[in-house]
Amino acid sequence: AKDRVVRELERAAPTERAELERLAAQTQRELQRAREEQQQCEKTLKSKLAQSEAQIQRFQQQVEERTLVHARNYSFGGAGAGRANCLHRNTRRWGNQHGSGRKCVDCKVSLPP
């Protein structure tokens, strides 16, 4: 569009030249305004993106903290894998849809509830 206006400006008669120069100046102002609007939109989108990334990172940290707090080891290993003559002082109660009970964490023996 700019090239077309410049070519017409070169070919124009002196009476039309003033009108074409005014049109070219107006086109330049509109182009500059459009560039400024685009830059403003880019700044806004970048700031929103940065906020979203920060929020995602906070959520990830919260999830990690929760999983660290609630993580428990329920893999007791096979029967008889523990020490002989264990007093069963370190026990854990368990329960699910299949039943409930108590196990020694040290020697992995099932104990009465």
Side-chain angles (χ1 to χ4, degrees), residues 3-112:
D3 294 334
R4 183 179 55 86
V5 172
V6 170
R7 275 187 261 128
E8 287 181 20
L9 185 61
E10 290 172 354
R11 294 181 193 163
T15 56
E16 295 176 335
R17 180 166 279 205
E19 178 65 24
L20 289 174
E21 285 177 354
R22 185 189 64 75
L23 181 63
Q26 180 182 357
T27 305
Q28 285 292 334
R29 286 191 303 271
E30 290 174 1
L31 183 62
Q32 182 64 28
R33 190 177 316 121
R35 285 181 186 152
E36 289 172 358
E37 287 177 5
Q38 182 182 6
Q39 289 173 350
Q40 185 64 30
C41 288
E42 286 178 4
K43 286 180 184 178
T44 304
L45 290 175
K46 285 180 182 179
S47 67
K48 286 183 180 180
L49 179 63
Q51 289 174 353
S52 297
E53 287 176 347
Q55 187 176 16
I56 288 171
Q57 198 146 20
R58 283 193 306 271
F59 286 149
Q60 286 176 340
Q61 288 174 349
Q62 289 175 355
V63 168
E64 287 175 5
E65 289 172 1
R66 287 181 186 161
T67 56
L68 291 176
V69 169
H70 296 293
R72 298 197 67 180
N73 182 11
Y74 288 104
S75 62
F76 291 104
R83 293 179 260 154
N85 301 326
C86 181
L87 298 176
H88 311 303
R89 291 188 177 153
N90 187 11
T91 62
R92 179 172 294 152
R93 295 178 60 86
W94 63 274
N96 57 24
Q97 68 267 22
H98 302 292
S100 63
R102 194 169 61 125
K103 267 197 162 183
C104 177
V105 176
D106 295 327
C107 69
K108 320 306 191 244
V109 170
S110 290
L111 302 169

